[in-house]
Amino acid sequence: MKDGEKLVIVGCSGSGGPAAMMAKKLMPSVDVTVIRKEEFFIVR
């Protein structure tokens, strides 16, 4: 991805959270946004 581009990840409970962290680690210049809406959050 190019500098200044935006990455949107939908969902966080499955693999969305780790994907967002890895994307930011691999591409620090990319703006990462996580969209999350969960009524009941289950921690594994």
Side-chain angles (χ1 to χ4, degrees), residues 9-21 33-44:
I9 297 177
V10 179
C12 190
S13 64
S15 60
M21 291 188 296
T33 302
V34 177
I35 298 174
R36 178 181 147 199
K37 180 180 184 250
E38 299 170 10
E39 244 179 87
F40 303 101
F41 185 66
I42 299 173
V43 177
R44 296 184 221 177

Side-chain angles (χ1 to χ4, degrees), residues 7-12 14-28 30-35:
L7 175 66
V8 177
I9 297 177
V10 179
C12 190
S15 60
M21 291 188 296
M22 183 62 70
K24 193 62 176 175
K25 184 176 180 180
L26 293 175
M27 303 174 287
V30 172
D31 185 23
V32 178
T33 302
V34 177
I35 298 174

